[in-house]
Each structure stands twice: as C-alpha cells, then as structure tokens.
Amino acid sequence: MPGITLRRLGIATLLLAGQWMLGAVFLFSGFVKAADPLGMEHKLEAYIRAMGIDFGAFGIPLVAGSATLDIITVLIALVEFLIGMYYLLGMHQKLTAVFGTLFMAFMTSVTLWIYLYDPVPDCGCFGDAVVLTHAQTLAKNIVLLAVATLLLVCRRHMVRCLSRRNEWFATSSSFLYILALSIYSMRMLPIIDFTGYKEGTDLRTALYGEYRTSFIYEKGGEQRIFHDGEALPDSTWKFLSAESEEVVPPHIADFSITDARGNDIGAEIIDDTAYTFLVTLPEITTADAGCSDLLNDVCDFAEDHGMAMWCATAVDEEGKQQWSDRTGAAYPFATAAAETLKAMVRSNPGLMLIHNGRIIAKWGHHSIPGNEMLTMAGIQTLERNSQNISSRKRYFLVTALYIGILLFVILADRIWAGNRYYRRIRRAKLWLQHNGENDTECPELGDTDSEESTEGQQLTAEGLPEKEHTETETTTNSTTL
C-alpha cells in the first residue's frame, strides 16, 4: 500500500509539473508576441515568402505592418496566452488538452520542416526574447508535444485552481491584458525591447563586444596578473605576456549604413560626438507618411543646431524618390539592410537619436517628437533618462501586473468557495436539527467538493435545502486545488 501511494503521488506530481510547464511556455510565448507584435509580423512575413504565398491579387497584403498581419499576430498571441492560462489554472480541461495537443502537433510539424529545409532564419516561437537554433526548437517542441499528449490522455487528473463559476473573470482579464498590450506595442513601440538596439545601448559594445586585457609580470620568481589600467607597484616588474578576455559578447550583427557614394556612415555615426537623428524606413509599401511633417520639423531642428540627420532605407532609388515626393523630405538617404532596419525601430518609419555611439531615444511613427520636445534641454533630458532605462524593470512591472491580477482572482475565488462551503455546513446542521439524526443521508453533505452538485441545490419554501441529482464527468474526476 505505501508503494502504491508513493507511485500515485509521483505520477500526480509529474502530471502537475507537466501541466504547469506547458502553461508557462504558452504564457511566455503569447506574452512575447503581444509585447513585440511587429517583430512577430516580420517573422510571419518570412514564413509567407518561404512558402510562396501571395494574396496581393485579392487585395490582401501579407507584409509586416499590414492590417491582415496585425490581426493574425494578435490572434496568435491571444490563443497562446489563453491556452497557457488554462493549463496553468486547470480550466476547461478537455478543450485545453485537445487544443493544446493539436497546436503542438502543428508547431512540431512546422519546426520539422524548418529543421530539414532551413527556409527561415529562426522559428520565432519566442520572438527575439529567446532565439533558438532549428535543432533546439525541434527538440523543445517534441518534448512539449509529448507532455501535451500525456495530459490529453490523463486530462481528468489535471489540477484545477479556480472554480468554474469564476473562470469567466480569469479569461476576460487575460484577454483584455493581451489585447491592450498588443495594441499599445503596435501603436507606440514595444513596451519591452527584446532587440539588441534598445534605448541606452552602447553600439560599440553591442557590435564588437567588451574585452579586458590582463598583463602577467614577474619579479623575484613571483608572477602576478595586472588588469588594464592597473598600475605596477614599481618599475622592477618584468613583463611576460598579455591575455584578452571577453567580458561582454557582441549582441548585434550589423550597423552598416552606406551613403550614395558607397561610404560606410554607420561607423561615422557611432564615432560622432554630436547628436545624430536616424530615420529607419525598411520599405514604403506600408510606411505611414502621416508623420512626414513631424520628421521634417526634426530635420529643421537638426540643421539649426548643427546635428546630422539621415534616412536609412532598404528601398531602391525609385522608392527613395517616391518617399521624397510624398513627404517633401529634405534629409539625405542612405542604404541599409532591411532586417537591420526592422530590428532598430519596430516602426515604419521610425526615428532613432544617437549620441557618442549610444542610443538615446527611439520613436515610432505615432510618437515622433513635436516642437515642445525639440529643444536642447529636452534632448539632454532624454539622454539622462536613457542611462537609467532597464528592460528588466519594465519586464518585471508588466508581468507583475498580470500576476497580481491572477493572484487576486484566485484569492477571491478561494474566499468565495470557502464562504460557500461554510454556508452549506450551516444549512446541513439546520437540516439535521429539523429532520433528526435518524435520517440516512443529509443532502447537503453529498459531495462538498463538487461545484456542480452544490449549484443544483435550492431552498424550499421552509428554507430547507433540496438536492437536484446532477452528475457530470468533470465533477467526479477533476481534482480541485
């Protein structure tokens, strides 16, 4: 008997761990897509190109920034996030287990195709927050598919953390949270920047990494290591060798920007001790020209204060001319890779301010600074704030908001369930007092853990409970936490 009990406990623990692991993975995947929707759209666009899908003849553009991909990205984020929340709280167990298994079967098929034929750089499962190799992605999905299949078979043993009556609140709050996060990140900029071009980034370190040089000296048979900038105790120490150690690895691959003459102005922008405004324009099909007046105001401000301003774009000369005609742009154009521009600013067009190799600020096309911000005092304030920006702090605040909502829902549900349970006990005592102790069974003490059985109870005209006989598969088999 003890062995059987321990075995059952081990199986229950394994199922619970798998349930919560799947919930965490789906939640994180949906959250990342909602926090950086345009980044996900770029990855979807890569899939569409690889599969040769073209709905342009039907007037449905499938490019990043289009309304079609906007809707698809938000729907994917919502579906993944809700599945994760359902797994985590044990809600809608049959629906969650079936849909979660089908979803993982589809994604495993897609990652197998990617692994075999390498049609896209990465699968985009977690956006730019966590980039995995094709082999790592396939292995991850195989494990998740196995866990999802196990939970599908054993779905009756999934742990429920929330009563059915209050599931609607958890669903609606999660739905609104992801929808608000997606809309904000689309209209402005991602609330959490997962790229290597986040505000406050030192482009020199991001491109080349940071190294520390150690010098080995000897004196009287004793060897000591002195780091770069550390002074020797005296001049009698003899130099032996030097070693370089990578302290911070490079995390962006490219900042190459060439002007019309073919000169690389990317390095000049990084080394420039003055301020530089950089407009990013990956392509003009979905570019919003409504911010052109504000961009022209920024150009006038830059000229008045001796600052440089460039428009880095991946379009050809004809496209540059079209943009100039549409917007009246007076700033010079330069050429950069489309993927680099898409990563720099999640907007089309976008605007970046760089000073002494550091990214001071970034704006989307809905938030281009106006005249009130275009002052030297405003620029210097942005520079001070950029040094205090922490992506980890933003990530903590955004996730803490949802965790707080979820904990409130669970706590309120437990309080409600406890209060309902004790009310049943009191009514059961009244029933016993009224009918005496000779009765074989009290209706109120049938199944105190089943929500459906308690919901079938009503009070008679005398105020006594009357049980309706309702039985469901979920009631008898679900585990309530």
Side-chain angles (χ1 to χ4, degrees), residues 266-310:
E268 296 180 10
I269 292 174
I270 293 176
D271 294 333
D272 194 353
T273 56
Y275 293 93
T276 300
F277 286 98
L278 182 65
V279 180
T280 57
L281 185 68
E283 50 89 26
I284 63 171
T285 305
T286 58
D288 182 10
C291 62
S292 57
D293 290 340
L294 291 173
L295 287 176
N296 293 335
D297 291 341
V298 173
C299 182
D300 294 338
F301 173 82
E303 290 181 357
D304 294 342
H305 292 81
M307 303 177 183
M309 182 168 178
W310 291 89

Side-chain angles (χ1 to χ4, degrees), residues 98-260:
V98 171
F99 203 82
T101 304
L102 292 176
F103 189 92
M104 286 312 309
F106 173 75
M107 291 309 301
T108 304
S109 304
V110 172
T111 51
L112 178 61
W113 170 61
I114 295 173
Y115 176 76
L116 293 175
Y117 299 102
D118 192 25
V120 293
D122 66 272
C123 75
C125 301
F126 304 124
D128 286 327
V130 180
V131 179
L132 302 175
T133 64
H134 295 342
Q136 291 171 337
T137 302
L138 180 60
K140 167 188 70 78
N141 284 351
I142 290 175
V143 171
L144 293 178
L145 177 60
V147 175
T149 305
L150 177 63
L151 289 175
L152 176 63
V153 175
C154 305
R155 61 183 179 275
R156 297 178 180 179
H157 301 284
M158 290 173 63
V159 174
R160 172 179 291 278
C161 302
L162 203 65
S163 60
R164 288 176 179 81
R165 177 169 292 186
N166 294 322
E167 286 179 346
W168 69 271
F169 191 80
T171 300
S172 58
S173 59
S174 300
F175 180 90
L176 292 175
Y177 173 81
I178 287 297
L179 188 62
L181 183 62
S182 301
I183 293 175
Y184 177 87
S185 299
M186 277 183 184
R187 184 166 181 81
M188 307 301 288
L189 285 178
I191 197 166
I192 302 172
D193 195 343
F194 297 112
T195 70
Y197 300 90
K198 57 179 65 70
E199 293 179 351
T201 297
D202 188 326
L203 290 172
R204 296 186 188 87
T205 302
L207 268 174
Y208 309 115
E210 184 177 339
Y211 295 85
R212 180 177 63 181
T213 304
S214 301
F215 302 93
I216 302 175
Y217 284 82
E218 181 185 21
K219 176 182 178 181
E222 177 190 2
Q223 291 186 1
R224 285 178 59 182
I225 298 177
F226 296 89
H227 297 295
D228 192 15
E230 186 178 355
L232 297 174
D234 54 65
S235 59
T236 59
W237 288 84
K238 181 180 178 182
F239 173 76
L240 295 179
S241 62
E243 298 178 353
S244 293
E245 177 187 4
E246 187 180 67
V247 179
V248 179
H251 54 270
I252 62 174
D254 186 25
F255 196 74
S256 298
I257 305 172
T258 57
D259 61 12

